[in-house]
Amino acid sequence: TGKSISLVHILEMRLLKPDGSVSEPMVTKHWRQDWSYQPSSIVEHQGRDRWQRRELSAAEKSGTWMQTVYQVDESPRYASVGRWQHSASFSTWLSGETWRPLPRREWSVRDDYQVLVGTNRHTIEPTGWLQEENNLKTVLTPQREIDASHPYVGREYGVARYERIRDADFAAADLYYQRTKRFWDQVRDRWTALFAKQGAATLRGPVDKLGLFVPLFERADGIAAGQAPSDDAEVIHQALKDMGALP
């Protein structure tokens, strides 16, 4: 809209079979990221499966853009406010210090730290954009404070390149999102209303690790297959309750 951008990641995957042929496309919803100009509030990760809404001061929001990243099921992941720097050579956005929950690649192999603390940079390129992360692998106390006796176990520097692919067939992904967009918008709006009302939420655990996203994905797959979306509100309410987000 000029002050708001929403990017929905839909994965369309094809597998190379042993005989050399390519499988039919498999489609699933991935993450979403929203960009908001001069936001009034932010929902921040607090560590140990807790997120909290905070009002931003006039100085914090003036001239800034906020990036908010959501899990595959529209539950919160992380958010940060930053400023764009424009020159004749490049345009780049750099976040403030940001707390992030552990990604699957980390929690699936280690449990000696609880949060990534670092910065996120996005640089616009002619065919897409480049994302750079510079994170400290940070140990938290049970009270969600950085452990002063042993605060960090390592540093992670990651680079992800997003490029437009020419002449690619994304018809299956387009069809999935066309059919399920209304449902996922309802899930997103339910989370927004939750934080506006409660201010904070502590989940039972990582939604991907515990499979808490499964009921929502099953419902979306049903809608994509042609099932009527008549009981969506109850499905969403029960899923958030099972996650621990609702009292």
Side-chain angles (χ1 to χ4, degrees):
T1 64
K3 294 185 178 181
S4 176
I5 304 169
S6 187
L7 303 176
V8 181
H9 300 206
I10 305 293
L11 299 184
E12 184 173 318
M13 301 164 284
R14 293 173 174 82
L15 300 180
L16 186 64
K17 298 180 180 179
D19 63 2
S21 63
V22 178
S23 71
E24 291 297 311
M26 296 177 289
V27 178
T28 187
K29 182 180 176 295
H30 201 223
W31 293 3
R32 178 169 64 90
Q33 56 174 303
D34 286 353
W35 292 80
S36 304
Y37 182 61
Q38 298 190 152
S40 59
S41 63
I42 185 172
V43 174
E44 296 171 312
H45 181 55
Q46 303 288 307
R48 298 188 182 276
D49 307 304
R50 181 172 176 81
W51 285 262
Q52 186 162 336
R53 184 175 181 268
R54 179 174 66 86
E55 294 295 322
L56 295 173
S57 68
E60 284 180 295
K61 64 186 180 183
S62 178
T64 65
W65 279 84
M66 177 176 69
Q67 182 200 32
T68 305
V69 176
Y70 302 84
Q71 307 269 27
V72 296
D73 60 354
E74 299 291 339
S75 60
R77 184 161 180 79
Y78 64 85
S80 53
V81 174
R83 296 180 182 275
W84 283 92
Q85 176 188 353
H86 303 288
S87 73
S89 299
F90 61 82
S91 291
T92 188
W93 176 89
L94 180 63
S95 77
E97 185 175 87
T98 308
W99 283 36
R100 307 164 179 248
L102 273 60
R104 179 186 295 272
R105 66 178 181 274
E106 291 289 300
W107 60 249
S108 61
V109 296
R110 63 190 302 173
D111 59 5
D112 56 339
Y113 75 100
Q114 290 72 46
V115 68
L116 291 171
V117 179
T119 57
N120 186 17
R121 179 187 293 273
H122 290 261
T123 302
I124 302 299
E125 296 186 324
T127 58
W129 71 93
L130 190 73
Q131 177 189 5
E132 301 168 78
E133 295 182 26
N134 194 347
N135 300 315
L136 285 168
K137 300 180 178 185
T138 305
V139 180
L140 299 182
T141 67
Q143 293 74 35
R144 298 185 177 86
E145 297 175 349
I146 296 177
D147 189 339
S149 64
H150 182 51
Y152 311 114
V153 298
R155 180 183 293 275
E156 172 192 78
Y157 180 74
V159 178
R161 184 181 64 193
Y162 295 83
E163 286 193 343
R164 182 176 183 177
I165 301 175
R166 295 175 62 96
D167 304 321
D169 178 10
F170 291 112
D174 289 339
L175 180 61
Y176 170 87
Y177 192 55
Q178 175 187 334
R179 291 179 173 177
T180 63
K181 180 181 185 300
R182 179 178 176 275
F183 173 76
W184 288 119
D185 285 351
Q186 285 182 274
V187 180
R188 176 201 63 196
D189 292 346
R190 188 67 181 84
W191 278 108
T192 300
L194 181 154
F195 281 105
K197 181 180 180 180
Q198 299 179 191
T202 303
L203 305 187
R204 284 174 44 207
V207 293
D208 49 357
K209 186 176 184 179
L210 299 182
L212 301 177
F213 61 89
V214 171
L216 294 174
F217 267 62
E218 289 178 341
R219 183 61 186 148
D221 288 345
I223 294 171
Q227 295 178 9
S230 58
D231 58 349
D232 290 350
E234 178 58 30
V235 170
I236 295 167
H237 176 84
Q238 190 60 49
L240 269 61
K241 190 170 184 178
D242 291 344
M243 291 177 190
L246 295 172

